[in-house]
Protein backbone atom coordinates (compact mmCIF):
# COMPACT_ATOMS: atom_id res chain seq x y z
CA UNK A 1 0.00 0.00 0.00
CA UNK A 2 1.29 3.45 -0.89
CA UNK A 3 1.53 5.76 2.09
CA UNK A 4 -0.18 9.15 2.02
CA UNK A 5 0.06 11.75 4.74
CA UNK A 6 -2.62 13.99 6.13
CA UNK A 7 -1.23 17.47 5.43
CA UNK A 8 0.40 17.89 8.84
CA UNK A 9 3.17 15.42 8.08
CA UNK A 10 1.73 12.83 10.47
CA UNK A 11 1.24 9.29 9.31
CA UNK A 12 -2.32 8.78 8.07
CA UNK A 13 -4.40 5.72 8.98
CA UNK A 14 -4.75 2.75 6.61
CA UNK A 15 -6.73 3.47 3.47
CA UNK A 16 -7.35 2.44 -0.11
CA UNK A 17 -4.29 1.85 -2.25
CA UNK A 18 -3.27 4.70 -4.54
CA UNK A 19 -0.48 3.27 -6.65
CA UNK A 20 0.07 6.51 -8.56
CA UNK A 21 1.19 8.58 -5.56
CA UNK A 22 4.82 9.70 -5.96
CA UNK A 23 7.33 11.09 -3.49
CA UNK A 24 8.81 14.02 -5.42
CA UNK A 25 7.78 16.50 -8.09
CA UNK A 26 9.21 16.07 -11.58
CA UNK A 27 9.95 18.76 -14.13
CA UNK A 28 8.65 18.38 -17.66
CA UNK A 29 9.55 20.20 -20.88
CA UNK A 30 6.49 21.63 -22.60
CA UNK A 31 5.93 23.57 -25.82
CA UNK A 32 3.78 26.70 -25.99
CA UNK A 33 1.38 26.78 -28.94
CA UNK A 34 0.64 30.23 -30.37
CA UNK A 35 -1.44 29.58 -33.51
CA UNK A 36 -4.60 27.64 -34.33
CA UNK A 37 -4.20 23.91 -34.85
CA UNK A 38 -6.34 20.80 -35.36
CA UNK A 39 -6.28 18.27 -32.53
CA UNK A 40 -6.44 15.29 -34.92
CA UNK A 41 -4.86 14.30 -38.22
CA UNK A 42 -7.13 13.24 -41.10
CA UNK A 43 -6.72 9.58 -40.05
CA UNK A 44 -8.18 10.39 -36.61
CA UNK A 45 -4.94 10.05 -34.68
CA UNK A 46 -3.43 12.78 -32.51
CA UNK A 47 -1.79 15.55 -34.49
CA UNK A 48 1.83 15.87 -33.18
CA UNK A 49 1.70 19.62 -33.88
CA UNK A 50 -1.18 19.91 -31.39
CA UNK A 51 0.81 18.65 -28.38
CA UNK A 52 1.61 21.49 -25.99
CA UNK A 53 -0.16 24.24 -24.08
CA UNK A 54 -1.58 27.66 -24.90
CA UNK A 55 -2.78 30.80 -23.13
CA UNK A 56 -6.02 30.88 -25.10
CA UNK A 57 -8.08 28.11 -26.76
CA UNK A 58 -6.42 27.47 -30.13
CA UNK A 59 -7.28 23.82 -30.82
CA UNK A 60 -10.14 22.55 -32.95
CA UNK A 61 -11.28 19.20 -31.59
CA UNK A 62 -11.91 17.65 -35.02
CA UNK A 63 -12.83 14.23 -33.58
CA UNK A 64 -15.18 12.22 -35.76
CA UNK A 65 -16.98 8.91 -35.27
CA UNK A 66 -16.83 6.53 -32.36
CA UNK A 67 -13.74 5.24 -30.62
CA UNK A 68 -13.77 5.97 -26.86
CA UNK A 69 -14.59 9.61 -27.53
CA UNK A 70 -15.14 11.86 -24.51
CA UNK A 71 -16.61 15.38 -24.66
CA UNK A 72 -17.55 17.48 -21.64
CA UNK A 73 -18.24 20.94 -20.23
CA UNK A 74 -18.05 21.55 -16.48
CA UNK A 75 -18.90 24.90 -14.90
CA UNK A 76 -18.52 25.83 -11.22
CA UNK A 77 -19.70 29.16 -9.78
CA UNK A 78 -18.63 30.21 -6.28
CA UNK A 79 -19.59 33.10 -4.04
CA UNK A 80 -19.25 33.76 -0.29
CA UNK A 81 -22.65 32.09 0.27
CA UNK A 82 -23.15 29.68 -2.63
CA UNK A 83 -21.55 27.04 -4.85
CA UNK A 84 -23.34 25.92 -8.02
CA UNK A 85 -21.81 23.46 -10.47
CA UNK A 86 -23.02 21.44 -13.42
CA UNK A 87 -21.53 19.15 -16.04
CA UNK A 88 -22.58 17.86 -19.44
CA UNK A 89 -20.68 15.02 -21.09
CA UNK A 90 -20.97 12.54 -23.93
CA UNK A 91 -19.21 9.15 -23.91
CA UNK A 92 -20.19 7.84 -27.39
CA UNK A 93 -22.86 5.42 -26.17
CA UNK A 94 -24.38 7.54 -23.39
CA UNK A 95 -24.62 11.10 -22.12
CA UNK A 96 -24.05 12.01 -18.48
CA UNK A 97 -25.29 15.19 -16.82
CA UNK A 98 -25.35 16.49 -13.28
CA UNK A 99 -25.95 19.64 -11.24
CA UNK A 100 -25.06 20.38 -7.65
CA UNK A 101 -25.69 23.26 -5.24
CA UNK A 102 -24.19 24.05 -1.84
CA UNK A 103 -25.47 26.66 0.59
CA UNK A 104 -22.20 27.58 2.31
CA UNK A 105 -24.00 29.26 5.22
CA UNK A 106 -25.92 26.12 6.24
CA UNK A 107 -24.00 23.26 4.60
CA UNK A 108 -27.19 22.11 2.83
CA UNK A 109 -26.64 20.65 -0.63
CA UNK A 110 -28.94 19.60 -3.47
CA UNK A 111 -28.03 17.45 -6.46
CA UNK A 112 -29.49 16.17 -9.71
CA UNK A 113 -27.95 13.55 -11.99
CA UNK A 114 -29.06 11.51 -14.98
CA UNK A 115 -27.71 9.25 -17.72
CA UNK A 116 -29.12 9.20 -21.24
CA UNK A 117 -28.79 6.01 -23.31
CA UNK A 118 -28.07 6.33 -26.19
CA UNK A 119 -26.53 9.81 -26.26
CA UNK A 120 -28.97 11.29 -28.76
CA UNK A 121 -30.11 14.89 -28.51
CA UNK A 122 -26.67 16.12 -27.43
CA UNK A 123 -24.27 18.45 -29.23
CA UNK A 124 -20.82 19.82 -28.33
CA UNK A 125 -18.84 22.51 -30.14
CA UNK A 126 -15.41 21.76 -31.58
CA UNK A 127 -13.76 24.85 -30.06
CA UNK A 128 -13.82 26.20 -26.53
CA UNK A 129 -15.32 29.69 -26.46
CA UNK A 130 -17.23 29.21 -29.72
CA UNK A 131 -20.57 27.65 -30.61
CA UNK A 132 -22.90 25.94 -28.15
CA UNK A 133 -23.49 22.84 -26.03
CA UNK A 134 -26.85 21.11 -25.71
CA UNK A 135 -28.34 18.25 -23.73
CA UNK A 136 -32.05 18.30 -24.50
CA UNK A 137 -33.21 14.87 -23.35
CA UNK A 138 -33.64 13.55 -19.85
CA UNK A 139 -34.83 15.37 -16.71
CA UNK A 140 -31.87 17.78 -16.70
CA UNK A 141 -31.75 20.07 -19.74
CA UNK A 142 -28.59 22.11 -20.34
CA UNK A 143 -27.81 24.87 -22.85
CA UNK A 144 -24.47 26.73 -23.07
CA UNK A 145 -24.15 29.51 -25.65
CA UNK A 146 -21.34 31.92 -26.49
CA UNK A 147 -22.68 35.46 -26.95
CA UNK A 148 -21.21 38.91 -27.52
CA UNK A 149 -21.33 39.56 -23.75
CA UNK A 150 -19.88 36.26 -22.58
CA UNK A 151 -21.14 32.71 -21.99
CA UNK A 152 -24.82 32.15 -21.22
CA UNK A 153 -25.60 29.15 -19.03
CA UNK A 154 -29.16 27.83 -18.89
CA UNK A 155 -30.31 24.77 -17.00
CA UNK A 156 -33.65 23.27 -16.01
CA UNK A 157 -34.57 20.23 -13.93
CA UNK A 158 -37.11 19.42 -11.20
CA UNK A 159 -34.60 20.72 -8.63
CA UNK A 160 -32.98 23.63 -10.50
CA UNK A 161 -33.60 26.46 -12.89
CA UNK A 162 -30.74 28.74 -13.89
CA UNK A 163 -30.14 31.57 -16.35
CA UNK A 164 -26.62 32.91 -15.83
CA UNK A 165 -24.16 35.06 -17.75
CA UNK A 166 -20.42 34.49 -17.31
CA UNK A 167 -18.61 37.61 -18.47
CA UNK A 168 -15.70 37.37 -20.86
CA UNK A 169 -12.77 39.69 -20.11
CA UNK A 170 -10.66 40.37 -23.17
CA UNK A 171 -6.93 39.85 -22.79
CA UNK A 172 -7.15 37.45 -19.86
CA UNK A 173 -5.31 34.14 -20.15
CA UNK A 174 -6.76 30.66 -19.71
CA UNK A 175 -4.82 27.38 -19.73
CA UNK A 176 -5.25 24.88 -22.57
CA UNK A 177 -3.28 21.61 -22.54
CA UNK A 178 -3.08 18.49 -24.72
CA UNK A 179 -2.43 15.28 -22.76
CA UNK A 180 -0.87 12.70 -25.17
CA UNK A 181 -1.25 9.20 -23.72
CA UNK A 182 -0.65 7.83 -27.24
CA UNK A 183 -1.51 8.63 -30.86
CA UNK A 184 -4.91 6.98 -30.34
CA UNK A 185 -5.59 8.09 -26.75
CA UNK A 186 -5.34 11.79 -25.97
CA UNK A 187 -7.11 14.62 -24.20
CA UNK A 188 -7.51 18.35 -24.84
CA UNK A 189 -8.59 20.40 -21.83
CA UNK A 190 -9.15 24.12 -21.20
CA UNK A 191 -9.25 25.62 -17.71
CA UNK A 192 -10.68 29.16 -17.58
CA UNK A 193 -10.70 30.59 -14.03
CA UNK A 194 -12.09 33.56 -12.17
CA UNK A 195 -14.65 34.94 -14.65
CA UNK A 196 -17.31 37.22 -13.05
CA UNK A 197 -20.81 35.74 -13.28
CA UNK A 198 -24.34 36.91 -12.53
CA UNK A 199 -27.95 35.89 -12.99
CA UNK A 200 -30.80 33.93 -11.51
CA UNK A 201 -30.63 30.50 -9.84
CA UNK A 202 -33.64 28.69 -8.38
CA UNK A 203 -33.07 25.70 -6.07
CA UNK A 204 -36.16 23.70 -5.04
CA UNK A 205 -38.31 26.81 -5.48
CA UNK A 206 -35.93 29.17 -3.66
CA UNK A 207 -34.76 32.00 -5.95
CA UNK A 208 -31.17 33.21 -5.56
CA UNK A 209 -29.70 36.22 -7.28
CA UNK A 210 -25.98 35.89 -8.03
CA UNK A 211 -23.99 39.11 -8.46
CA UNK A 212 -20.88 39.65 -10.60
CA UNK A 213 -19.44 41.61 -7.65
CA UNK A 214 -18.71 38.43 -5.68
CA UNK A 215 -19.44 35.43 -7.96
CA UNK A 216 -16.62 33.78 -9.92
CA UNK A 217 -17.00 31.06 -12.56
CA UNK A 218 -14.54 28.38 -13.66
CA UNK A 219 -14.83 26.36 -16.87
CA UNK A 220 -13.37 22.91 -17.47
CA UNK A 221 -13.71 22.07 -21.19
CA UNK A 222 -12.57 18.69 -22.49
CA UNK A 223 -12.43 16.78 -25.77
CA UNK A 224 -10.51 13.60 -26.54
CA UNK A 225 -10.26 9.83 -26.78
CA UNK A 226 -9.75 8.11 -23.45
CA UNK A 227 -8.27 4.85 -22.19
CA UNK A 228 -10.63 2.47 -20.42
CA UNK A 229 -9.72 3.66 -16.92
CA UNK A 230 -8.50 7.07 -15.74
CA UNK A 231 -7.65 8.39 -12.26
CA UNK A 232 -7.07 12.09 -11.75
CA UNK A 233 -6.64 14.92 -9.27
CA UNK A 234 -7.85 18.42 -10.00
CA UNK A 235 -7.75 21.56 -7.90
CA UNK A 236 -8.69 25.15 -8.67
CA UNK A 237 -9.24 28.38 -6.75
CA UNK A 238 -9.67 32.04 -7.64
CA UNK A 239 -10.24 35.37 -5.93
CA UNK A 240 -8.13 38.11 -4.40
CA UNK A 241 -5.03 37.55 -2.31
CA UNK A 242 -2.52 40.20 -1.26
CA UNK A 243 -4.43 42.87 -3.16
CA UNK A 244 -4.14 41.04 -6.51
CA UNK A 245 -6.43 38.87 -8.63
CA UNK A 246 -5.11 35.34 -8.16
CA UNK A 247 -6.04 31.97 -9.62
CA UNK A 248 -4.49 28.56 -8.99
CA UNK A 249 -4.95 25.61 -11.37
CA UNK A 250 -3.38 22.26 -10.47
CA UNK A 251 -3.80 18.68 -11.65
CA UNK A 252 -2.19 15.31 -11.37
CA UNK A 253 -2.06 11.54 -11.87
CA UNK A 254 -3.74 11.29 -15.27
CA UNK A 255 -1.06 13.48 -16.89
CA UNK A 256 1.90 11.79 -15.18
CA UNK A 257 4.41 10.39 -17.66
CA UNK A 258 2.88 12.12 -20.69
CA UNK A 259 5.22 15.15 -20.74
CA UNK A 260 2.23 17.49 -20.26
CA UNK A 261 0.80 19.00 -17.07
CA UNK A 262 -2.18 21.28 -16.39
CA UNK A 263 -0.60 23.44 -13.68
CA UNK A 264 -0.51 27.22 -13.61
CA UNK A 265 -0.71 30.40 -11.56
CA UNK A 266 -2.85 33.33 -12.73
CA UNK A 267 -1.85 36.81 -11.60
CA UNK A 268 -4.05 39.74 -12.65
CA UNK A 269 -5.21 37.71 -15.65
CA UNK A 270 -1.78 36.53 -16.84
CA UNK A 271 -0.82 32.83 -16.81
CA UNK A 272 2.45 31.67 -15.25
CA UNK A 273 2.84 28.09 -16.52
CA UNK A 274 4.18 25.56 -14.02
CA UNK A 275 5.86 22.66 -15.85
CA UNK A 276 6.05 20.14 -13.02
CA UNK A 277 4.30 16.92 -12.07
CA UNK A 278 3.17 17.91 -8.59
CA UNK A 279 2.90 15.68 -5.53
CA UNK A 280 -0.57 15.28 -4.03
CA UNK A 281 -0.94 14.02 -0.44
CA UNK A 282 -4.34 13.46 1.18
CA UNK A 283 -6.19 10.94 3.29
CA UNK A 284 -8.69 8.84 1.32
CA UNK A 285 -10.23 7.60 4.57
CA UNK A 286 -10.95 11.21 5.64
CA UNK A 287 -11.56 13.66 2.79
CA UNK A 288 -12.05 16.48 5.32
CA UNK A 289 -8.45 16.21 6.52
CA UNK A 290 -6.06 18.82 5.06
CA UNK A 291 -4.54 18.12 1.63
CA UNK A 292 -0.99 19.05 0.55
CA UNK A 293 0.09 19.79 -3.03
CA UNK A 294 3.81 20.46 -3.51
CA UNK A 295 6.54 20.93 -6.10
CA UNK A 296 9.59 23.10 -6.70
CA UNK A 297 7.32 26.12 -7.29
CA UNK A 298 4.23 25.04 -5.38
CA UNK A 299 3.67 24.60 -1.64
CA UNK A 300 -0.05 24.59 -0.88
CA UNK A 301 -2.29 23.33 1.89
CA UNK A 302 -5.97 22.87 1.16
CA UNK A 303 -8.41 22.80 4.10
CA UNK A 304 -11.88 21.43 3.20
CA UNK A 305 -15.15 22.75 4.57
CA UNK A 306 -17.50 20.46 2.60
CA UNK A 307 -17.16 17.19 0.65
CA UNK A 308 -19.28 15.99 -2.26
CA UNK A 309 -19.01 12.27 -3.05
CA UNK A 310 -20.73 10.25 -5.77
CA UNK A 311 -20.48 6.67 -7.01
CA UNK A 312 -22.29 5.89 -10.27
CA UNK A 313 -22.45 2.61 -12.21
CA UNK A 314 -24.45 2.21 -15.42
CA UNK A 315 -23.79 -0.23 -18.25
CA UNK A 316 -20.01 -0.16 -18.78
CA UNK A 317 -19.56 3.16 -16.94
CA UNK A 318 -18.31 3.44 -13.38
CA UNK A 319 -17.46 6.81 -11.86
CA UNK A 320 -16.31 7.51 -8.32
CA UNK A 321 -15.92 11.16 -7.38
CA UNK A 322 -14.73 12.76 -4.14
CA UNK A 323 -14.61 16.55 -4.40
CA UNK A 324 -13.84 18.78 -1.43
CA UNK A 325 -14.56 22.51 -1.27
CA UNK A 326 -12.52 24.76 0.99
CA UNK A 327 -9.57 27.15 1.17
CA UNK A 328 -6.02 27.14 -0.12
CA UNK A 329 -3.07 28.74 1.61
CA UNK A 330 0.66 28.64 0.94
CA UNK A 331 2.95 29.89 -1.82
CA UNK A 332 3.38 29.59 -5.59
CA UNK A 333 6.41 30.95 -7.48
CA UNK A 334 5.74 33.14 -10.53
CA UNK A 335 7.77 33.00 -13.77
CA UNK A 336 10.11 35.78 -12.62
CA UNK A 337 10.88 34.06 -9.30
CA UNK A 338 8.49 36.15 -7.21
CA UNK A 339 6.99 34.15 -4.35
CA UNK A 340 3.22 34.73 -4.35
CA UNK A 341 1.39 34.25 -1.07
CA UNK A 342 -1.91 32.38 -1.31
CA UNK A 343 -4.13 33.41 1.60
CA UNK A 344 -7.48 31.63 2.14
CA UNK A 345 -8.34 31.36 -1.56
CA UNK A 346 -11.64 29.49 -1.96
CA UNK A 347 -11.85 26.58 -4.38
CA UNK A 348 -11.82 22.80 -4.53
CA UNK A 349 -9.68 19.68 -4.77
CA UNK A 350 -10.80 16.27 -6.00
CA UNK A 351 -9.95 12.68 -6.76
CA UNK A 352 -11.96 11.03 -9.53
CA UNK A 353 -11.76 7.52 -10.95
CA UNK A 354 -13.54 6.87 -14.25
CA UNK A 355 -13.89 3.48 -15.96
CA UNK A 356 -15.85 2.92 -19.15
Amino acid sequence: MTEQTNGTGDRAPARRENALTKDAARRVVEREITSRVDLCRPDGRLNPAAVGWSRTPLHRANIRGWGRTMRWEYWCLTSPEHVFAFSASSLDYLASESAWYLDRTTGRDVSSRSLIVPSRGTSFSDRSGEGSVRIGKGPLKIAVDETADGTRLRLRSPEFEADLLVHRIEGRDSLAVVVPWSSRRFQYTVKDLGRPAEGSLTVNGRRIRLSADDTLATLDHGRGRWPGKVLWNWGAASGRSGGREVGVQIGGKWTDGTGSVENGLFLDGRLHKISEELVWRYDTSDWMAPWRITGERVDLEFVPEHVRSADVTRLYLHSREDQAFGRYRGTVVADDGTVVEIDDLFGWAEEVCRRW
Side-chain angles (χ1 to χ4, degrees):
M1 176 177 292
T2 300
E3 177 179 318
Q4 292 175 316
T5 57
N6 63 8
T8 64
D10 297 331
R11 192 180 188 87
R15 61 189 63 83
R16 288 186 288 103
E17 182 178 4
N18 185 344
L20 295 183
T21 299
K22 56 181 180 293
D23 295 326
R26 305 186 185 107
R27 293 185 184 182
V28 297
V29 178
E30 299 180 283
R31 178 171 64 98
E32 182 177 0
I33 292 174
T34 57
S35 59
R36 289 203 166 195
V37 63
D38 283 347
L39 180 61
C40 299
R41 303 187 312 191
D43 63 4
R45 297 192 180 193
L46 176 63
N47 178 9
V51 178
W53 64 275
S54 63
R55 299 177 182 275
T56 187
L58 294 173
H59 292 69
R60 181 172 72 102
N62 56 327
I63 305 170
R64 297 293 179 264
W66 282 42
R68 310 201 65 82
T69 303
M70 170 72 84
R71 299 176 175 90
W72 81 78
E73 302 282 315
Y74 172 86
W75 284 92
C76 185
L77 286 73
T78 63
S79 79
E81 296 180 346
H82 312 284
V83 176
F84 178 63
F86 70 89
S87 66
S89 64
S90 172
L91 295 77
D92 279 344
Y93 58 87
L94 64 80
S96 173
E97 53 182 1
S98 65
W100 182 78
Y101 167 77
L102 170 67
D103 184 331
R104 294 181 61 193
T105 63
T106 66
R108 181 178 69 94
D109 63 10
V110 179
S111 63
S112 175
R113 180 186 292 269
S114 65
L115 298 176
I116 302 167
V117 184
S119 57
R120 296 171 182 168
T122 67
S123 61
F124 291 80
S125 60
D126 286 347
R127 290 189 187 274
S128 180
E130 298 180 11
S132 63
V133 173
R134 289 286 188 279
I135 292 189
K137 295 182 66 177
L140 179 58
K141 294 176 173 57
I142 294 171
V144 179
D145 294 288
E146 297 298 334
T147 72
D149 297 322
T151 308
R152 188 179 182 190
L153 312 177
R154 288 173 292 167
L155 182 146
R156 188 172 70 255
S157 76
E159 298 84 6
F160 301 107
E161 186 166 350
D163 191 348
L164 305 161
L165 178 65
V166 180
H167 294 279
R168 184 183 305 109
I169 302 175
E170 297 300 328
R172 289 174 65 101
D173 290 344
S174 56
L175 173 57
V177 177
V178 170
V179 180
W181 294 301
S182 72
S183 65
R184 295 181 181 274
R185 299 287 180 260
F186 47 85
Q187 178 61 50
Y188 173 62
T189 179
V190 178
K191 303 297 195 294
D192 195 0
L193 278 64
R195 292 173 57 181
E198 61 184 333
S200 174
L201 170 64
T202 301
V203 182
N204 284 339
R206 176 194 172 200
R207 191 168 184 271
I208 301 164
R209 189 71 188 175
L210 298 178
S211 169
D213 292 337
D214 62 6
T215 304
L216 297 176
T218 293
L219 165 66
D220 178 21
H221 162 105
R223 306 288 188 271
R225 285 207 163 106
W226 278 24
K229 184 176 181 180
V230 181
L231 175 70
W232 74 77
N233 290 131
W234 177 33
S238 57
R240 298 193 67 85
S241 182
R244 305 183 70 174
E245 291 184 20
V246 178
V248 174
Q249 157 60 39
I250 47 178
K253 292 191 175 64
W254 74 326
T255 59
D256 289 357
T258 67
S260 295
V261 292
E262 48 181 3
N263 304 319
L265 168 71
F266 294 87
L267 282 179
D268 300 322
R270 180 180 179 273
L271 169 65
H272 298 248
K273 185 68 172 70
I274 299 171
S275 293
E276 299 180 57
E277 293 180 357
L278 302 175
V279 177
W280 289 67
R281 294 186 175 92
Y282 49 92
D283 185 347
T284 57
S285 67
D286 182 6
W287 298 106
M288 288 291 289
W291 301 42
R292 286 292 304 276
I293 302 96
T294 56
E296 291 185 14
R297 293 174 56 184
V298 175
D299 187 0
L300 293 172
E301 181 182 54
F302 172 72
V303 180
E305 65 179 45
H306 188 90
V307 173
R308 181 189 69 87
S309 296
D311 198 320
V312 177
T313 300
R314 177 77 179 270
L315 296 176
Y316 301 105
L317 169 70
H318 175 71
S319 177
R320 179 188 53 76
E321 309 167 10
D322 295 284
Q323 183 182 31
F325 288 83
R327 296 186 176 275
Y328 283 89
R329 59 192 180 207
T331 59
V332 182
V333 179
D335 289 342
D336 62 2
T338 301
V339 178
V340 179
E341 296 284 341
I342 305 300
D343 183 19
D344 284 340
L345 208 62
F346 185 77
W348 59 87
E350 69 180 26
E351 181 187 272
V352 177
C353 181
R354 187 72 53 83
R355 185 179 71 246
W356 66 301

